[in-house]
Amino acid sequence: MARRKLVAGNWKMNKTPSEAVALIEELKPLVKSDDVDVVFCVPAIDIPAAVEAVKGTNIAIGGENMYFEDKGAYTGEVSADMLLDAGAKYVIIGHSERREYFAETDITVNKKVLKAFEKGLRPIICCGESLEQREQGITIDWIRQQIKIAFLNVTADQAKRAVIAYEPIWAIGTGKTATSDQAEEVCGAIRACIRELYGEAVADQIIIQYGGSVNAGNAAELFAKSDIDGGLVGGASLKADFGKIVNYK
Ligand code: PGA
């Protein structure tokens, strides 16, 4: 089955609401595409302005994180309902920066994934190994464990709407992209893991992205691989280059 590519920008902690609108106005004409789905994952405070700014375009807006409880005494957190009500359709869950700086674990990732699906947000679930783990030769074991925990109690109907982003930690923000063969090997292993968990139909449908120093120069080779369905793009999503990544062909 031919899967549509999905290219998502991860703005991280960049751009105020007014700066977000200016960047979206700049990128709008550059990211037009008939066959690639485009998402901008932006800081929570930027979402209402971003949703307004992308009206009538092919761009969807996503959050970069959410909490797994519905509401309550969780100072500073953002709920799935808040993201949805503001107009977000996607949410990044378990980015390695959240795991490293904000104590996210595979268990909290799973709780957030379940909540996102319950509410109707499409999660972009991140996984990835450290350089040490790659050198130890445990990359595939590690990723399979992350995926299995992230998908605990997720139904097949939900899983087929999931997006998985394979992001080797050593490639994020470092300019060191995984080679297309390295990326394809792990994305293929993730699809095989999903096949074991949910069967062929879900494995065929699920979107698996590569992320980590994707840029206008390497996107075409990465996205040409059969198990790589697009990318999660950090640094290059804040520049005109993002248009070239979306229109990589
Ligand atoms: P990068 O970030 O493209 O700047 O490496 C990717 C990410 O963290 O999602």
Side-chain angles (χ1 to χ4, degrees), residues 208-227:
I208 304 177
Q209 300 174 313
Y210 167 77
S213 299
V214 174
N215 60 42
N218 59 27
E221 192 185 329
L222 287 160
F223 299 173
K225 294 290 186 183
S226 62
D227 281 314

Side-chain angles (χ1 to χ4, degrees), residues 37-242:
D37 292 324
V38 181
V39 184
F40 291 175
C41 296
V42 305
I45 190 113
D46 294 353
I47 291 174
V51 167
E52 193 58 37
V54 300
K55 273 198 179 135
T57 74
N58 60 327
I59 306 164
I61 295 299
E64 299 178 7
N65 177 41
M66 53 166 260
Y67 198 50
F68 51 75
E69 295 291 353
D70 281 339
K71 61 169 120 162
Y74 305 104
T75 303
E77 290 297 310
V78 170
S79 71
D81 284 331
M82 292 172 189
L83 293 178
L84 278 164
D85 191 62
K89 301 269 189 275
Y90 291 78
V91 60
I92 298 174
I93 291 180
H95 190 279
S96 64
E97 287 150 18
R98 303 264 348 144
R99 294 176 191 254
E100 184 178 350
Y101 306 129
F102 304 100
E104 293 227 6
T105 65
D106 290 336
I107 305 293
T108 60
V109 167
N110 175 241
K111 289 183 178 176
K112 291 180 178 193
V113 167
L114 290 170
K115 185 55 71 178
F117 277 127
E118 179 197 319
K119 297 291 182 175
L121 279 167
R122 222 173 149 186
I124 300 177
I125 305 161
C126 299
C127 60
E129 82 288 1
S130 66
L131 187 57
E132 198 180 7
Q133 290 164 334
R134 176 158 285 267
E135 285 169 352
Q136 280 180 296
I138 61 169
T139 297
I140 303 288
D141 293 334
W142 178 261
I143 302 288
R144 284 174 55 86
Q145 173 165 314
Q146 286 188 320
I147 295 296
K148 285 185 176 180
I149 299 174
F151 281 82
L152 268 176
N153 299 318
V154 172
T155 67
D157 262 358
Q158 292 170 333
K160 65 185 180 210
R161 292 190 33 80
V163 180
I164 297 173
Y166 165 56
E167 298 203 304
I169 297 168
W170 48 272
I172 296 177
T174 57
K176 279 191 221 151
T177 321
T179 65
S180 55
D181 286 340
Q182 283 173 324
E184 172 71 359
E185 184 198 3
V186 181
C187 290
I190 292 170
R191 201 174 305 282
C193 184
I194 293 294
R195 191 175 296 118
E196 282 168 37
L197 294 173
Y198 297 105
E200 197 62 47
V202 175
D204 254 10
Q205 234 173 299
I206 200 164
I207 299 292
I208 304 177
Q209 300 174 313
Y210 167 77
S213 299
V214 174
N215 60 42
N218 59 27
E221 192 185 329
L222 287 160
F223 299 173
K225 294 290 186 183
S226 62
D227 281 314
I228 302 180
D229 308 319
L232 182 58
V233 184
S237 71
L238 299 166
K239 306 188 282 196
D241 267 18
F242 194 61

Side-chain angles (χ1 to χ4, degrees), residues 3-20:
R3 287 178 293 273
R4 276 174 75 81
K5 302 278 186 206
L6 175 70
V7 175
N10 171 12
W11 286 16
K12 309 196 178 185
M13 197 176 75
N14 292 294
K15 305 296 173 186
T16 65
S18 51
E19 289 168 347

